[in-house]
């Protein structure tokens, strides 16, 4: 039986995108966020994506370690 889990690549994608957006938010010009009341939207949403991606990767790894919980 082939053990294909789509959670791992999706979590990896969210983690990479979250990291890129977070880094952009850290190193971008603060004047860019004047229209959003000074809130660094890229930083906060990048962190949200990064945490969601890491949680998805951890859940995918947990599911592959315990195959009794997977759907057949």
């Amino acid at each position: 039986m082939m053990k294909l889990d789509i959670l791992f690549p999706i979590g990896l994608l969210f983690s990479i995108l979250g990291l890129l957006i977070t880094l952009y938010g850290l190193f971008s010009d603060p004047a860019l966020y004047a229209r959003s009341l000074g809130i660094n939207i890229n930083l906060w949403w990048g962190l949200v994506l990064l945490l969601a991606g890491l949680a998805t990767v951890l859940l995918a790894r947990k599911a592959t370690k315990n195959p009794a919980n997977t759907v057949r």
Side-chain angles (χ1 to χ4, degrees):
M1 179 177 208
M2 191 167 142
K3 297 178 183 176
L4 178 65
D5 190 9
I6 195 72
L7 286 177
F8 187 74
I10 289 176
L12 197 59
L13 175 73
F14 278 134
S15 297
I16 291 170
L17 287 175
L19 182 65
L20 288 174
I21 294 172
T22 300
L23 290 174
Y24 181 77
L26 283 173
F27 297 113
S28 61
D29 186 20
L32 181 66
Y33 305 107
R35 293 188 339 186
S36 63
L37 303 175
I39 300 170
N40 193 340
I41 301 295
N42 290 321
L43 176 65
W44 289 108
W45 276 108
L47 289 172
V48 168
L49 276 174
L50 183 61
L51 290 175
L54 290 176
T56 306
V57 167
L58 289 175
L59 288 173
R61 290 191 42 105
K62 184 179 178 184
T64 57
K65 286 183 181 177
N66 190 3
N69 293 335
T70 58
V71 177
R72 292 182 186 196

